Amino acid sequence: MTQQIFRLREMFYSIAWTTLFVELADPPQMNILAAAGARGTLHLIHPEGGVAFFECQIIRSKTVTVSSLLFHPKQCSILFCALSDGQVMGWDIGSPSPPDYNMKLNCLLTLEARLEIFNLVYSLQGNILMAACSIGVCGWIVTQEALQKKSDSLPILKFQFPRKHIQNTSEPQLVDSLVLLGDGMVGTKCALHGVIYVWDLMATLAANGEEQQLTVTPIRVLTWSNTDNYFMNMGCHPVAGLLVCGDDRGALWLYNLKEAMQVKEQTHEVQPLTILDWPDITDMNLDRNRKLRLDVYDIVVDSVAVSCTGKYLVAVTSNNMVCIWKKMKSWK
C-alpha cells in the first residue's frame, strides 16, 4: 500500500537521489528520492509515480536526528544515513518497482564516529566514506566486500586540518561542508577559518602511511567570507571545474578550480573567480500589502547546487527562498 502524504510533524534535514534499474519496466530507469530528518524516519519517494511508497523509523530518539543521506555512487541501492549522534548506517533498499513497490530495508553496516555529523561524501578513489564532523573529518574504507560481509568494525580515519591561520588557536576544527572536486580532490570548509581547503585524498593517505590520525596538507587555499556563521554548504561541478559557496549576505562565491590548480605560489590564497551579490528584488505583492521584504534581514545561503550541465546555479536561503542563476557566458 502506497502512502502519498507526509505527517505534518516531519522536518526534513536531508535528501538524496538515486537511479534504480528495474527489469521489465519501460523505461528501466527509476529515479528515487530519499528524505529524512528530525523524526529519525526514512521516506522513499517515486516522484514520477506520485507516491511516497516507504516509511521506516530507523532511529527511535527524541534528540537524535538524521543529518545526512547519501547513495553509493556505483551501488545505487545502497544508502548511507548519518545521525546527529555520530552513527552512520548503511542500508540496502533493494529494487522496489511499481505498482506494489515491494521492498525490504536491509541493514548492511553501522559505523561509529562518536562526533556530530553534518554531511557525507563517498570517494570511489580508495572506496572511502567521509563525514564532516564537529571536530575535523572522519572516514572509513567501505569496500564492496565490507558491505557484503556486513562489517561493523571498520577502522576509523581522522583527518585533521591546519589551525586557523589568522591566529594561533586551539578551537575545534568544526567542518561544516565537504565536497568532492574530482580527480581525487576534496574541498573542505572549516567554520570560522574564512577559507576553503582543497586537498588530495590519496596523497594524504599515502603520506600518513598506516596511521589513523591523518594530517591534511592543503594544496590550495581559497579565500572565502570571514563570517562567524556556520553551515553554508558548498556545491560543485567537477567536469566544469566550478566550485560555489554562499555566504551570510546572500552572495555566491564562484571558484574556477582549473585556474586555482595552476597557481604557482601555493602559499598565496586563491581569490574567487567572481562573487554574485544578492540581487535587488521587487515583489509587487509585498509592496501592495505594505509588508516587509524578505531580504530586510540577513540572508544566509544555506546550500548551493550546480546543475548537471553546469548552466544553472540553485541556492536555498534562510528566508525560504529558492534562487536560480543562469550562466550567460563561459566561466573562463
Side-chain angles (χ1 to χ4, degrees):
M1 185 177 190
T2 60
Q3 179 180 349
Q4 300 187 18
I5 301 175
F6 293 122
R7 297 178 183 176
L8 296 178
R9 291 176 295 173
E10 182 63 280
M11 183 181 296
F12 293 114
Y13 292 155
S14 183
I15 59 173
W17 286 96
T18 191
T19 300
L20 301 178
F21 294 87
V22 182
E23 295 183 1
L24 305 179
D26 185 23
Q29 298 89 358
M30 183 173 72
N31 295 323
I32 296 297
L33 177 67
R39 294 180 58 247
T41 301
L42 174 66
H43 302 269
L44 296 180
I45 306 161
H46 183 206
E48 291 184 0
V51 294
F53 61 87
F54 182 80
E55 177 182 315
C56 178
Q57 191 165 13
I58 59 176
I59 181 71
R60 295 185 180 277
S61 172
K62 293 182 179 180
T63 58
V64 179
T65 64
V66 178
S67 56
S68 184
L69 297 172
L70 175 72
F71 278 100
H72 193 289
K74 287 290 187 181
Q75 302 179 61
C76 302
S77 66
I78 295 177
L79 174 65
F80 297 108
C81 304
L83 308 180
S84 58
D85 65 352
Q87 194 175 76
V88 179
M89 298 177 177
W91 302 88
D92 189 344
I93 68 171
S95 300
S97 60
D100 298 325
Y101 298 95
N102 293 325
M103 60 163 285
K104 180 180 179 181
L105 194 63
N106 183 22
C107 187
L108 301 179
L109 53 78
T110 302
L111 307 171
E112 293 283 354
R114 302 189 185 280
L115 297 166
E116 187 173 4
I117 295 176
F118 305 119
N119 75 296
L120 297 170
V121 298
Y122 186 97
S123 173
L124 290 173
Q125 293 196 12
N127 296 310
I128 298 179
L129 176 67
M130 290 181 286
C133 300
S134 54
I135 304 179
V137 171
C138 293
W140 301 267
I141 299 176
V142 182
T143 61
Q144 183 174 0
E145 182 182 6
L147 292 169
Q148 290 175 342
K149 291 183 176 180
K150 300 185 178 182
S151 303
D152 287 343
S153 58
L154 298 178
I156 186 171
L157 305 173
K158 294 185 177 181
F159 299 86
Q160 293 296 307
F161 296 85
R163 291 296 175 184
K164 187 176 178 181
H165 58 279
I166 299 175
Q167 60 184 3
N168 186 17
T169 178
S170 59
E171 293 179 357
Q173 298 174 319
L174 188 152
V175 175
D176 60 357
S177 186
L178 186 66
V179 65
L180 297 180
L181 307 177
D183 297 326
M185 298 297 171
V186 183
T188 302
K189 182 163 68 68
C190 297
L192 309 181
H193 282 217
V195 296
I196 297 170
Y197 299 114
V198 177
W199 51 287
D200 189 317
L201 173 59
M202 300 309 294
T204 299
L205 293 173
N208 288 270
E210 299 296 323
E211 297 291 329
Q212 291 182 316
Q213 299 281 346
L214 299 97
T215 300
V216 175
T217 301
I219 58 177
R220 292 295 183 273
V221 177
L222 312 180
T223 297
W224 185 67
S225 171
N226 192 27
T227 176
D228 291 334
N229 275 327
Y230 292 24
F231 306 120
M232 286 153 279
N233 288 292
M234 298 178 287
C236 180
H237 191 295
V239 177
L242 180 67
L243 175 67
V244 188
C245 188
D247 63 18
D248 56 350
R249 296 179 178 272
L252 297 185
W253 298 56
L254 279 63
Y255 304 88
N256 186 320
L257 296 174
K258 296 178 182 178
E259 288 186 359
M261 299 308 295
Q262 294 173 359
V263 175
K264 295 181 179 180
E265 296 293 334
Q266 296 187 21
T267 57
H268 288 62
E269 291 184 11
V270 178
Q271 300 301 312
L273 171 68
T274 189
I275 299 176
L276 302 178
D277 293 323
W278 182 257
D280 184 18
I281 299 176
T282 300
D283 190 324
M284 301 301 294
N285 183 61
L286 293 181
D287 293 342
R288 283 194 302 268
N289 291 281
R290 298 181 180 180
K291 294 183 178 180
L292 287 176
R293 291 161 42 124
L294 291 176
D295 56 359
V296 168
Y297 306 101
D298 290 342
I299 300 170
V300 180
V301 180
D302 294 321
S303 186
V304 182
V306 186
S307 69
C308 59
T309 62
K311 190 175 182 179
Y312 296 94
L313 303 178
V314 182
V316 291
T317 70
S318 58
N319 56 355
N320 294 328
M321 285 190 177
V322 178
C323 312
I324 303 174
W325 286 261
K326 181 179 180 181
K327 182 181 71 171
M328 304 304 294
K329 60 181 180 179
S330 173
W331 299 118
K332 298 181 180 179

